[in-house]
Amino acid sequence: MMTKLIFQLCGSRVGESHAEALLRLERSHFMLDRFERFSLAISEINRHWHKLAAEELAPYGLKSAHATYLTTMARHPEGITVPELCSECGKDKSDASRMLSILEEKGLVTKEATGGSRYRGLMKLTPTGEKAAEHVCSRAAAAVEAAGRDLSPEARETFYRALDSITANLRILSKDGIPQE
C-alpha cells in the first residue's frame, strides 16, 4: 500500500521498472537523511564553536568572528597582506576590512606600509594582539581536544581526511553548480 502511494506521488520514469523506481526512491530517501544529518551537524558545530569563541574573546571586547583572523595572523609573525589573509581565512575583502578595523581600534593589529604604500601593507599583531591570539589558539586547541576525546588517532585522521574531501568538493560545487541527474 505504501509503495503504491509513493509511486502515485512521485511517479516513475519512462522505461523504469517498479524495482528500479523503488531503489531510486530508497536512495533518494537515504541521501535526504544524509543531507539532513550533515546539515544539522555542521550547523550545530558552528553554533557551539561560535559560542565558545565568543566567550573566550569577550575579555578583549571581540566577537567570535575575530578568532579566525587572530589565529591566522598568529601563524604569520612577519605579517600578512589583506588578500592573503582573506584567502587563508576563506573570507571576502569587506568582511576582512570590518574585522581588521575593529582589531586595529582595539590595539591588537597594526598595518605596516611596504614599498611606501600603506594600501598594500602587511597586517601584524601587536604585542597585545599576540597575547590575545595565543590565548585563543590555546583555548581552541583545548576545545578541539575535548570535543574529540572519544576519537582514536585513526578515527580522528579519517574524520579530517573526510572533512577535507567534503570541503574541497563543496568548494567545486559552489563554483560550478550541482550536476544535473
Side-chain angles (χ1 to χ4, degrees), residues 107-149:
L108 302 172
V109 170
T110 61
K111 188 169 191 175
E112 294 185 5
T114 57
S117 169
R118 185 164 151 73
Y119 174 74
R120 297 193 186 274
L122 292 176
M123 301 304 299
K124 291 186 175 185
L125 292 172
T126 65
T128 305
E130 289 172 358
K131 287 179 186 172
E134 185 179 313
H135 173 79
V136 170
C137 287
S138 70
R139 298 299 291 157
V144 168
E145 187 63 33
R149 69 177 170 259

Side-chain angles (χ1 to χ4, degrees), residues 137-158:
C137 287
S138 70
R139 298 299 291 157
V144 168
E145 187 63 33
R149 69 177 170 259
D150 299 333
L151 299 176
S152 69
E154 297 81 19
R156 184 174 287 113
E157 182 58 34
T158 299

Side-chain angles (χ1 to χ4, degrees), residues 172-179:
I172 292 166
L173 288 171
S174 70
K175 179 179 170 251
D176 299 342
I178 301 172

Side-chain angles (χ1 to χ4, degrees), residues 44-116:
E44 189 170 357
I45 289 168
N46 189 49
R47 186 176 71 247
H48 293 301
W49 184 255
H50 279 281
K51 181 182 182 297
L52 292 169
E55 289 171 3
E56 295 301 324
L57 288 169
Y60 301 97
L62 300 173
K63 304 219 180 281
S64 62
H66 296 100
T68 301
Y69 293 98
L70 288 171
T71 57
T72 300
M73 291 180 70
R75 290 193 318 268
H76 298 277
E78 74 287 351
I80 185 170
T81 66
V82 173
E84 291 168 336
L85 189 60
C86 290
S87 177
E88 286 196 31
C89 292
K91 305 290 184 180
D92 61 37
K93 189 177 175 185
S94 64
D95 184 71
S97 179
R98 280 190 308 276
M99 295 298 120
L100 290 170
S101 176
I102 293 167
L103 291 171
E104 270 189 293
E105 286 173 18
K106 303 278 185 187
L108 302 172
V109 170
T110 61
K111 188 169 191 175
E112 294 185 5
T114 57

